[in-house]
Amino acid sequence: MSARWTRKDLLGLRELSADEINFILETADAFKQVGTREIKKVPALRGKTLVNFFVEPSTRTRTSFELAAHRLSADVINISVSSSSLTKGETLKDTARNLQALHADILVLRHSSAGAPQFLAQRLKSSVINAGDGAHEHPTQGLLDLYTIREKRGKIANLHIVIVGDILFSRVARSNIFGLTKLGAQVTLVGPSTLVPREFEKLGVTVSHKIDEVLPDADVVNLLRIQHERQRKEYFPSIGEYTALFGLTKERAKKLKPDCLIMHPGPINRGVEIDSDVADGLQSVILAQVTNGLAVRMAVLYLCGGIAT
Amino acid sequence: MNDTKHNAGPARTPGVPIMDADAIRRALQRIGHEIVERNPDLKSVVLAGIPSRGVVVATRLAEFIRSSEKTDIATGVIDVAMHRDDVGTRAELPIVRESKLPLPLEERTVIIVDDVLFTGRTVRAAMDAISSFGRPARIQLAVLIDRGHRELPIRADYVGKNLPTATREQIQVRLSKVDNEPDAVWLVKE
């Protein structure tokens, strides 16, 4: 562990070095073990205040950050869009300055606009943690995916990771691509050409539109959720057709290597991007991802929030 | 906590030699005998080292006890970084490591092992960390060097060497396994 952590913010994986990513993953190892103790709480961030500021709805990410903060003994305030003054016309910057006036030490921000966390990080003394900004990045999801692959396969370098689905609008995909390529994995993106344009190959990955050709060689299949609530209907004809062409059905899952991991950031659409039996099968590590998300977020809060400011 | 305890790195200011490899070995052997004397039920004992050098000291103590008593003794690692009371006040964040203790701790005697005992704050953090794993029957403390200047009501049960120091002086412990240097203890004046 040679790398030292010097950042007050975590905005994305794009700007991190491989050493910094590995340092977070190693720190997460120590925090994962806290969850197995009789008393699952350590005093590392005692006296610090964390604000969960979610301008977009999210239950699992917010809950994960909240529990991670509690386990580090920080105090937590949750603000969601419906209860915030943003609906009354206050700007993001003013809201944030108010939070700083309350001496919030860590701001966890989910926002529909790419770059919102960076905007605040440059203006606030508080640590800013990006919990998903637009279609840009979702670094803690990327980190927990890396952590899960490393935990289950013992390494990341030289593994073939296949990411399937709505890549174009997915911040999860971007954070995964940056993290995986930095750590030496081989990445293939799969989906309809409308959602997986060739431009992505500039990021050092392979693009394919035929899932059946890619699956037999995969070490990990990461299925992204089809966000049908966001009216992406113009990008593919129907949910049924998407499932027929790209869904991980029981039949398709038979093509996978026996030790291939099946991942999903959740919430899963059973019967759309993944069959119910496959989601609950032996190769699925979807629930391990949830457990690991907690450890990774504890590590990120400890590293960013524990730095003297 | 005690920044002056571990100052790793190749550039070492020349200091006064306090213990050489033989002296360290003899001190640890004696501590090993004392542990055996005071704990008739060695099977219930776990030697829990504080990273990094405390872990090496614990491993060596266990080796002595195994060879002299022909009986196994459990070892473990107790990380204190996340139990410290000074996070956010230091420029450099302590690296957290995974603790490894044989569970359950109930009925066991946990002996905390470290290289240098100084303010006592590391030991306090170690006791907090152990408590989060369970409730051992008793906790004891073994250190290679006790340099004084306690800031908390803590004392060691087993001491390799008592070494009165000034607060501005540093104790540097080198153990071949972590430092790539021969075993030695140095007193360095600021």
Side-chain angles (χ1 to χ4, degrees):
Chain A
M1 288 215 265
S2 56
R4 269 178 45 202
W5 188 260
T6 52
R7 296 172 187 272
K8 83 171 173 71
D9 311 302
L10 178 70
L11 304 177
L13 297 191
R14 183 176 215 160
E15 60 263 28
L16 298 190
S17 67
D19 275 353
E20 285 175 308
I21 292 173
N22 281 321
F23 186 68
I24 298 174
L25 301 181
E26 283 160 24
T27 303
D29 281 335
F31 283 113
K32 175 155 188 186
Q33 189 227 19
V34 173
T36 68
R37 296 185 189 179
E38 236 174 74
I39 297 169
K40 299 170 180 55
K41 190 163 182 164
V42 294
L45 294 184
R46 196 168 55 189
K48 302 257 182 189
T49 304
L50 176 142
V51 175
N52 260 328
F53 190 37
F54 278 63
V55 181
E56 264 190 344
S58 156
T59 305
R60 70 186 52 223
T61 305
R62 185 187 54 76
T63 311
S64 182
F65 270 110
E66 187 171 354
L67 189 52
H70 282 309
R71 290 200 170 164
L72 294 168
S73 305
D75 298 309
V76 181
I77 303 167
N78 288 309
I79 300 174
S80 59
V81 65
S82 53
S83 66
S84 88
S85 306
L86 290 180
T87 53
K88 299 176 187 166
E90 191 177 56
T91 66
L92 177 61
K93 190 181 172 191
D94 281 332
T95 305
R97 288 175 62 185
N98 277 283
L99 296 173
Q100 179 149 295
L102 294 170
H103 301 293
D105 301 286
I106 306 170
L107 179 63
V108 177
L109 180 68
R110 159 71 59 95
H111 203 280
S112 52
S113 297
Q118 189 181 3
F119 176 85
L120 291 182
Q122 287 165 346
R123 285 160 179 80
L124 298 180
K125 275 199 296 188
S126 322
S127 291
V128 177
I129 312 292
N130 181 3
D133 60 334
H136 177 225
E137 281 223 46
H138 190 352
T140 56
Q141 178 71 44
L143 288 167
L144 77 89
D145 289 342
L146 294 172
Y147 186 94
T148 305
I149 296 168
R150 170 179 166 274
E151 177 186 59
K152 301 289 177 189
R153 300 300 302 262
K155 62 166 189 177
I156 290 173
N158 301 321
L159 290 183
H160 183 202
I161 318 292
V162 175
I163 307 175
V164 186
D166 177 356
I167 309 289
L168 188 60
F169 294 99
S170 172
R171 52 195 173 215
V172 175
R174 277 175 187 73
S175 288
N176 261 279
I177 291 166
F178 295 133
L180 288 166
T181 51
K182 277 171 204 278
L183 297 189
Q186 184 201 338
V187 180
T188 303
L189 310 177
V190 182
S193 55
T194 46
L195 293 174
V196 190
R198 288 271 166 208
E199 278 71 35
F200 274 92
E201 294 194 332
K202 288 174 191 157
L203 298 176
V205 301
T206 310
V207 167
S208 167
H209 305 304
K210 291 182 176 151
I211 191 168
D212 295 302
E213 291 175 6
V214 178
L215 288 183
D217 184 52
D219 295 307
V220 176
V221 178
N222 196 349
L223 301 156
L224 302 183
R225 203 168 64 90
I226 287 301
Q227 307 181 45
H228 47 76
E229 75 278 13
R230 294 198 184 183
Q231 299 186 334
R232 297 277 156 69
K233 292 185 178 69
E234 64 270 34
Y235 290 94
F236 51 89
S238 72
I239 296 281
E241 187 167 330
Y242 179 87
T243 306
L245 288 173
F246 297 103
L248 189 61
T249 57
K250 237 164 129 180
E251 278 309 303
R252 281 208 175 96
K254 287 177 187 159
K255 294 181 183 155
L256 295 171
K257 292 194 251 182
D259 59 351
C260 177
L261 305 178
I262 297 170
M263 302 175 69
H264 192 300
I268 57 177
N269 294 317
R270 286 176 186 268
V272 179
E273 66 266 357
I274 186 167
D275 264 11
S276 212
D277 291 348
V278 180
D280 301 330
L282 291 173
Q283 286 171 274
S284 163
V285 293
I286 296 172
L287 291 175
Q289 288 174 269
V290 178
T291 306
N292 291 339
L294 193 55
V296 161
R297 290 184 177 111
M298 285 174 79
V300 167
L301 295 179
Y302 173 78
L303 292 173
C304 292
I307 280 184
T309 43
Chain B
M1 242 158 269
N2 37 0
D3 289 320
T4 47
K5 204 182 81 175
H6 296 141
N7 272 17
R12 191 186 62 229
T13 9
V16 182
I18 301 294
M19 294 174 97
D20 61 9
D22 282 339
I24 290 174
R25 180 177 45 79
R26 281 187 216 107
L28 293 182
Q29 267 169 338
R30 179 175 47 75
I31 292 177
H33 289 307
E34 287 174 10
I35 288 173
V36 173
E37 247 176 47
R38 292 213 9 213
N39 296 282
D41 184 16
L42 279 178
K43 284 191 180 63
S44 73
V45 172
V46 51
L47 299 169
I50 297 175
S52 343
R53 293 184 188 85
V55 177
V56 180
V57 175
T59 309
R60 291 194 192 174
L61 286 175
E63 282 164 10
F64 286 135
I65 292 169
R66 280 182 199 123
S67 70
S68 74
E69 298 303 308
K70 313 279 178 260
T71 174
D72 200 18
I73 185 161
T75 56
V77 175
I78 187 74
D79 184 70
V80 298
M82 56 180 97
H83 290 270
R84 296 171 76 125
D85 56 11
D86 58 355
V87 168
T89 64
R90 296 154 53 102
E92 193 175 337
L93 205 57
I95 291 174
V96 294
R97 293 181 175 82
E98 200 174 327
S99 292
K100 295 187 187 91
L101 289 173
L103 298 176
L105 292 180
E106 280 67 14
E107 318 287 318
R108 279 196 183 261
T109 297
V110 178
I111 302 182
I112 299 170
V113 182
D114 207 358
D115 55 348
V116 179
L117 176 59
F118 183 27
T119 61
R121 288 178 192 265
T122 303
V123 174
R124 188 217 41 92
M127 288 194 282
D128 280 357
I130 290 165
S131 307
S132 72
F133 284 92
R135 186 176 181 276
R138 61 189 68 79
I139 299 179
Q140 299 174 352
L141 173 62
V143 295
L144 179 59
I145 304 282
D146 181 350
R147 61 167 294 190
H149 304 288
R150 218 73 78 238
E151 293 170 1
L152 296 170
I154 282 169
R155 67 164 176 79
D157 301 272
Y158 314 97
V159 179
K161 189 176 183 65
N162 280 295
L163 189 69
T165 56
T167 35
R168 293 183 57 201
E169 291 169 329
Q170 288 184 17
I171 298 295
Q172 297 192 341
V173 175
R174 292 291 175 260
L175 294 171
S176 53
K177 218 175 165 182
V178 263
D179 298 304
N180 284 322
E181 269 184 61
D183 289 3
V185 177
W186 301 80
L187 177 70
V188 180
K189 297 188 192 293
E190 290 286 279

